[in-house]
Each structure stands twice: as structure tokens, then as C-alpha cells.
């Protein structure tokens, strides 16, 4: 059965691949698994039917037959466990790849999201400007640590894995991209991820949602 995921009917990023369905689409493309997409509006995401799938009223979700899953990281892990191509066979390497998935989602992403919250939800506060260097400093620290670990390697731990997929996906967010010029190896890492044919197919698919639904004129 073809799995179905949910994505924004009208993505605020206008097809830049920044919403979290992008990682899921990319994972499907890497393993060669077809998928369907159900587009949902902001209002629909808050209705009981969607909340039954995603308790926080967000995208993406994953459904296959009677099975449903939420959280983009968990969905990518599920895809990677069901199909070859995103996790190594060797148990130790596999565990390390999963560690990198968690590192992307729980160590690197939060400092980046903090900047977005500061910008979009707290930008009008009197203390906002004063706080900005602290937020940028925290992102820079994480990027520096990641840059040191990556060094001259192509991917974080041997072959490209679901860990790289989630890490590249996080580093594509504008708050990280803005600082990547200071870390040429990370800039190269993101470029390598984006150059993968599977990334391009996933990117084009999410962009098509926006262009196909764009108002005329
Ligand atoms: N931890 C969850 C996961 O990884 O699946 C987080 C899911 C999440 O944040 N979903 C967002 C959502 O549904 C979309 S991706 N938000 C609606 C809501 O909470 O009401 C976050 C996002 C949205 C838009 C942009 N953008 O336009 O640039 C970037 C990222």
C-alpha cells in the first residue's frame, strides 16, 4: 500500500522546502518508495480528524493502511527501517546513524528554531535586539562543533544516511544558512546533500504544490 503523508496546502515558505514534510519526501525519494500527499489547510490541521493523527495539529503525518505516525524524525526513521538505503546494515554503524538523526533534531534544530521564534514571535519585544547576539552565538557554537566533527569528510559517519538527511535538512533553514559562510565544510556538506537526485525530486515535488496552487497572474 502506498503511504500518504500530509503537507501544507499553502506553505508559508512558498516552496523553498523549509516545512518539515521536506525531510519525509526526501527520505521516500532516497529509498525509491512512492508516496501520496494529502494537502491540509491550517484550519484542517486543528480539526479532530487531523489531531487524531498529529496531537499538536501539525504536518507532516504518515499513514499506511491502519498505521499512522507523526513527528518528521520518527517518520524518516520508519521509512529508513522499512527500506534499504538510509541506514547501514552493521548494527554499530546503524546506531551511530540514528544518533546523528537525534543530534539533528534535538541538538542542532532547537538553537535554529529559537532564532525563528525570536524573529517571528518576539521581534517586537523591547529586549529582542539585545538577545539576538546570544541566539546567534548559540547557533554558531553548534555549527562550529559540527564543523569540527565533519572535518574533511563527505558525510557525518561513512556513507550518506538518514542522519545526514536530517542534518542537511536542518542546516538548510535560513538561520543556519546565514552563518554557513563561516564554515565552508558545512556549506559544502549542505551543497552535497542538495545535489543528490533524491533531494531534487523531493524539492521539486513540494515546489509543485506551491506553483500548481499559485493564484493566476
Ligand atoms: N516536531 C515536529 C516534526 O518534526 O514533525 C514539528 C512539526 C512542525 O513544526 N510542523 C509545522 C506545522 O505544522 C510545519 S514545519 N506548523 C503549523 C502549526 O504548528 O500550527 C515548520 C515550518 C513552517 C513553515 C516554514 N516556512 O514557511 O519557512 C518553515 C518551517
Amino acid at each position: 500500500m502506498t503511504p500518504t503523508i500530509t503537507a501544507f496546502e499553502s506553505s508559508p515558505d512558498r516552496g523553498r522546502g523549509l516545512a518539515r514534510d521536506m525531510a519525509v519526501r526526501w527520505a521516500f525519494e532516497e529509498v525509491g518508495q512512492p508516496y501520496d500527499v494529502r494537502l491540509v489547510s491550517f484550519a484542517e490541521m486543528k480539526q479532530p480528524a487531523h489531531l487524531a493523527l498529529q496531537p499538536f495539529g501539525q504536518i507532516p503525518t504518515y499513514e499506511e493502511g491502519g498505521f499512522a505516525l507523526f513527528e518528521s524524525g520518527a517518520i524518516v526513521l520508519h521509512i529508513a527501517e522499512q527500506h534499504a538505503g538510509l541506514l547501514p546494515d552493521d548494527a554499530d554503524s546503524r546506531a551511530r546513524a540514528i544518533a546523528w538523526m537525534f543530534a539533528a533534531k534535538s541538538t542542532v534544530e532547537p538553537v535554529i528554531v529559537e532564532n525563528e521564534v525570536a524573529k517571528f514571535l518576539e521581534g517586537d519585544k523591547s529586549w529582542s535586539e539585545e538577545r539576538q547576539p546570544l541566539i546567534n552565538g548559540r547557533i554558531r557554537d553548534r555549527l562550529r562543533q559540527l564543523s569540527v566533527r565533519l572535518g574533511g569528510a563527505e558525510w557525518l559517519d561513512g556513507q550518506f544516511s538518514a542522519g545526514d538527511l536530517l542534518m542537511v535538512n536542518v542546516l538548510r533553514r535560513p538561520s543556519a544558512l546565514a552563518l554557513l559562510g563561516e564554515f565552508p565544510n558545512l556549506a559544502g556538506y549542505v551543497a552535497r546533500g542538495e545535489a543528490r537526485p533524491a533531494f531534487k525530486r523531493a524539492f521539486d515535488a513540494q515546489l509543485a504544490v506551491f506553483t500548481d496552487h499559485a493564484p493566476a497572474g
Side-chain angles (χ1 to χ4, degrees), residues 22 25-33 35 193-208:
M22 178 63 202
R25 291 172 181 273
W26 187 4
F28 277 130
E29 294 292 350
E30 288 285 349
V31 301
Q33 163 73 47
Y35 62 99
E194 292 180 334
R196 293 178 72 83
F199 175 92
K200 290 183 178 175
R201 287 194 297 273
F203 185 89
D204 289 348
Q206 63 76 41
L207 179 61

Side-chain angles (χ1 to χ4, degrees), residues 8 12-13 18-20 42 46 58-60 71-72 105 173:
F8 282 143
D13 72 356
L18 300 174
R20 287 187 177 86
F42 276 87
K46 309 305 170 194
Q58 299 179 315
I59 58 97
E71 282 296 330
S72 58
K105 297 301 282 180
R173 293 184 78 131

Side-chain angles (χ1 to χ4, degrees), residues 13-91:
D13 72 356
R14 301 167 68 88
R16 285 158 64 211
L18 300 174
R20 287 187 177 86
D21 57 296
M22 178 63 202
V24 174
R25 291 172 181 273
W26 187 4
F28 277 130
E29 294 292 350
E30 288 285 349
V31 301
Q33 163 73 47
Y35 62 99
D36 291 328
V37 181
R38 191 172 72 251
L39 301 178
V40 289
S41 66
F42 276 87
E44 276 172 307
M45 285 192 288
K46 309 305 170 194
Q47 296 300 313
H50 189 81
L51 289 170
L53 297 172
Q54 216 290 5
F56 308 107
Q58 299 179 315
I59 58 97
T61 59
Y62 172 108
E63 292 159 86
E64 188 177 15
F67 174 69
L69 200 56
F70 66 101
E71 282 296 330
S72 58
I75 299 171
V76 170
L77 179 58
H78 179 68
I79 295 167
E81 283 180 329
Q82 299 287 311
H83 307 276
L86 279 173
L87 286 175
D89 292 334
D90 161 69

